[in-house]
Amino acid sequence: MKPAAAPPRTYRVKSFGCQMNVYDGERMAELLGDRGIAPASEGEDADLVILNTCHIREKAAEKVYSDIGRLVLAGKQAGKQPLIAVAGCVAQAEGEEIMRRAPAVSIVVGPQAYHRLPEMLGQAVQGKRATDTDMPAIAKFDALPQRKKRGPSAFLTVQEGCDKFCTYCVVPYTRGAEISRPFAHLVAEAQKLVEAGAKEITLLGQNVNAWRGEDDRGRRTGLAGLIHALARIDGLERIRYTTSHPNDMDDALIAAHGEVDKLMPYLHLPVQAGNDRILKAMNRQHTAESYLRVIERFRAARPDIALSGDFIVGFPGETEAEFEDTLRIVDEVRYAACFSFKYSPRPGTPAATMEGQIAPDVMADRLQRLQARLAHHQYAFNQASVGKTCAVLIDRTGRDPGQWLGKSPWLQSVWFEGDYAIGDLVEVTLADAGPNSLRGVVTTPA
Ligand code: SAM
Ligand code: SF4
C-alpha cells in the first residue's frame, strides 16, 4: 500500500510512438475529463501524469524509468508527488517489472484496458496500486465516453492488433490479435467527430486494411465499404487511413481511390526492405516484386497518389548488397514521404536472437544513405507538385500573423497567407517547393 492521495484535479497525458497511441491518449483524456479532471495548463505540475508508452524501438522501457525518476524529483522539489500511471505497450509488455522497479507508479494499464482508468484511479487514491493488462479490446471501446471537440483532423481507431508476427516486431505481443471494431460503432463515432468539428478523419489500425465487418445491410465488407459509408457523412471532407499491410490489400480498396473524392490520394504502405531473403527472414510474407505490383495497381486507380512507407536497415544478417536492394526499391517507387529506422532488437521477438546482428556504425551508415535517397525523392515529389491547385486544410497558425499551415491532399505541409481560421479548407496554387514544405498562393477570395 502507498499512502492515500487526494483525488487528482488535473492531469497530463504524455503519448509516445504511433498515431494509435495518440488516439488512445485522447480517449484517456476524455475519460478523465468526464470525471471533472482537467488538463494541467502549460508549466503547471499535474496531479496525475500518464506516460502512454511505446515499445517499438530502442530503450523504450529505460526511457519510462528515467521519466518516472524525473517526475519523482520534480515532485520532491514542488513538495507534492503526482500520481503516476504507465499506459501503452511498455505497460503491457513489462507491467509487473514496472510495479517492482518503480514504487512511485500507482497504475499500470495496458492499451486494451484503459477504459478502466477511472476505477483504477479510485484505488490509487486509496493507496492501492492497480494493474490491468487484460486484452478485451471491444469492451474498451464500448466503455469509452462520446468524442469531445478536437481540431479539424481526428483519428479513429477501426482495427487493433496484428496476426502477422514479423520477426522483429513486438506489436502482436503488446496489442494482441487482430480485431475489427463494428461498422455501426465506427460510423457513429465518425458522425460524432464531425459534429465536434472534424473535417478530416484518419482511420487507424496496425493493419488497418485488415478491417472487416458487416455493413448496415448485413453484407460482409472490407475497409472500402467503411470508407464509402463514411464518405456519405455531410461535413466530413477528407478520409485517410493508415497503416496498411501489402498482403491485406483488396481490389475494392484500390478501386475506392478512383471512386471516392473524399478519400485522399495518399497511401502509407510499408515494405521494410527491398531484398527477398531479408523480407523472408522478417516474415513479411510478401516479396519486393509483389509489393511493387500492389503499388502499380494503386497508381493505375489513382495516378497522382502519394506513396509513403517504413524501412528498417540493419536487420540481422543484412549484407551490403541486400541493403542496396532497399535503395533500389526506393528509386523504383519514388516515395513522397517515408519513415526509416535502424533495426532495434526487441526482447522476446525471434529476430532478437538471430545470428549476424549488425554493428551500430554499419547501421548508422546505411540509415544515413537511405535517408538521403528518401529525402531526394520527397523533394522531387514536392517540386513536381508546383503549379498544381488543391485544397489545403488549415491545422495550425504559421510563424507570422496572417500565416497559415495545413495539409495538401498528398499530406504535404503547405503554408500561405490570408484571413482564415484553423479548420478552413482553402484552395491554393502550390507556388514553391522546399524539401519539407511548400508555399501556396490562395486562388479563392478570403
Ligand atoms: N503494421 C505496420 C506494418 O506492418 O508496417 C507498422 C507497425 S509498426 C508500429 C511501425 C514501424 O515500426 C514498422 O513499419 C517498422 O518499420 C518499425 N519497426 C517495428 N519494429 C521495429 C524494430 N524492432 N526495429 C526497428 N523498427 C521497427
Ligand atoms: Fe508489426 Fe509486422 Fe504486424 Fe506491422 S505487420 S504490426 S510490422 S508484426
Side-chain angles (χ1 to χ4, degrees):
M1 286 279 279
K2 288 161 72 80
R9 285 173 301 107
T10 58
Y11 71 84
R12 175 163 295 120
V13 182
K14 232 175 128 180
S15 286
F16 304 88
C18 68
Q19 290 154 322
M20 299 194 68
N21 255 16
V22 175
Y23 175 89
D24 291 344
E26 287 176 0
R27 305 299 322 251
M28 287 187 246
E30 288 166 359
L31 270 169
L32 298 172
D34 258 24
R35 270 127 189 115
I37 308 174
S41 35
E42 195 71 30
E44 183 194 0
D45 292 326
D47 300 336
L48 165 69
V49 177
I50 300 177
L51 301 173
N52 189 20
T53 59
C54 170
H55 203 228
I56 204 84
R57 275 175 297 277
E58 296 300 329
K59 303 177 177 73
E62 277 7 80
K63 195 166 162 19
V64 177
Y65 293 112
S66 62
D67 274 359
I68 295 168
R70 251 196 306 276
L71 286 169
V72 171
L73 192 66
K76 277 195 186 126
Q77 283 161 357
K80 187 187 80 168
Q81 287 298 329
L83 281 169
I84 302 175
V86 180
C89 290
V90 178
Q92 187 68 37
E94 301 188 15
E96 276 177 30
E97 171 84 358
I98 294 170
M99 278 300 193
R100 203 174 49 73
R101 268 183 63 182
V105 172
S106 294
I107 295 174
V108 163
V109 62
Q112 310 300 19
Y114 62 76
H115 56 293
R116 291 200 48 236
L117 196 55
E119 193 184 325
M120 296 171 85
L121 203 51
Q123 293 173 20
V125 165
Q126 292 167 25
K128 295 182 202 144
R129 302 175 84 200
T131 302
D132 192 341
T133 49
D134 281 355
M135 289 204 170
I138 293 289
K140 168 183 78 183
F141 290 111
D142 287 347
L144 292 172
Q146 290 209 338
R147 303 307 310 266
K148 304 284 181 325
K149 188 154 177 53
R150 297 262 157 205
S153 292
F155 289 137
L156 173 53
T157 292
V158 304
Q159 181 278 340
E160 282 209 272
C162 180
D163 300 338
K164 304 285 187 292
F165 290 92
C166 299
T167 53
Y168 51 81
C169 184
V170 287
V171 167
Y173 311 97
T174 56
R175 293 263 172 175
E178 283 178 8
I179 61 115
S180 295
R181 294 181 63 195
F183 179 92
H185 294 197
L186 295 170
V187 174
E189 189 170 329
Q191 185 74 54
K192 286 281 171 243
L193 285 167
V194 172
E195 283 164 19
K199 290 198 172 154
E200 172 177 88
I201 293 183
T202 303
L203 309 177
L204 298 181
Q206 262 92 22
N207 284 298
V208 69
N209 58 335
W211 183 87
R212 296 286 177 275
E214 267 182 19
D215 69 10
D216 41 1
R217 292 203 250 156
R219 294 172 303 194
R220 285 297 291 166
T221 176
L223 194 65
L226 181 63
I227 288 170
H228 278 280
L230 298 182
R232 289 194 284 274
I233 298 178
D234 278 344
L236 178 60
E237 307 287 349
R238 292 179 160 193
I239 302 170
R240 302 181 185 274
Y241 61 95
T242 195
T243 296
S244 299
H245 191 284
N247 285 10
D248 287 324
M249 277 306 172
D250 60 24
D251 291 342
L253 185 55
I254 296 173
H257 278 271
E259 296 162 355
V260 182
D261 288 345
K262 292 182 181 180
L263 182 58
M264 292 295 102
Y266 184 92
L267 173 70
H268 182 65
L269 192 65
V271 65
Q272 314 296 355
N275 175 272
D276 287 345
R277 193 191 72 81
I278 295 294
L279 288 170
K280 194 156 194 288
M282 287 177 162
N283 191 32
R284 285 293 295 178
Q285 299 171 47
H286 60 78
T287 61
E289 191 55 32
S290 67
Y291 174 88
L292 288 171
R293 295 293 77 83
V294 174
I295 297 282
E296 225 168 54
R297 287 159 65 205
F298 271 93
R299 283 195 160 133
R302 183 75 206 227
D304 70 336
I305 197 159
L307 293 160
S308 107
D310 292 347
F311 292 90
I312 296 176
V313 299
F315 185 80
E318 184 188 65
T319 64
E320 170 62 23
E322 287 167 341
F323 166 68
E324 283 169 14
D325 285 343
T326 297
L327 296 180
R328 254 189 290 282
I329 205 165
V330 165
D331 287 343
E332 194 145 344
V333 175
R334 291 168 281 113
Y335 292 94
C338 268
F339 302 93
S340 48
F341 315 102
K342 289 184 214 164
Y343 166 70
S344 163
R346 308 315 296 137
T349 58
T353 50
M354 282 180 187
E355 285 184 9
Q357 302 283 327
I358 304 294
D361 58 329
V362 175
M363 270 207 252
D365 171 66
R366 288 182 187 167
L367 186 65
Q368 190 257 320
R369 284 153 66 203
L370 172 62
Q371 290 184 337
R373 288 314 293 160
L374 293 170
H376 164 84
H377 290 294
Q378 178 172 321
Y379 192 17
F381 185 86
N382 286 348
Q383 284 172 319
S385 306
V386 171
K388 285 186 181 175
T389 296
C390 64
V392 171
L393 178 59
I394 299 182
D395 52 23
R396 272 173 300 155
T397 50
R399 230 182 340 213
D400 302 325
Q403 228 177 47
W404 301 97
L405 274 159
K407 294 285 186 295
S408 76
W410 306 281
L411 211 60
Q412 298 147 301
S413 284
V414 179
W415 69 271
F416 55 92
E417 288 170 351
D419 187 11
Y420 298 103
I422 289 175
D424 285 351
L425 259 174
V426 182
E427 197 164 281
V428 306
T429 299
L430 301 173
D432 293 308
N436 299 311
S437 63
L438 293 105
R439 182 177 68 87
V441 175
V442 175
T443 51
T444 49

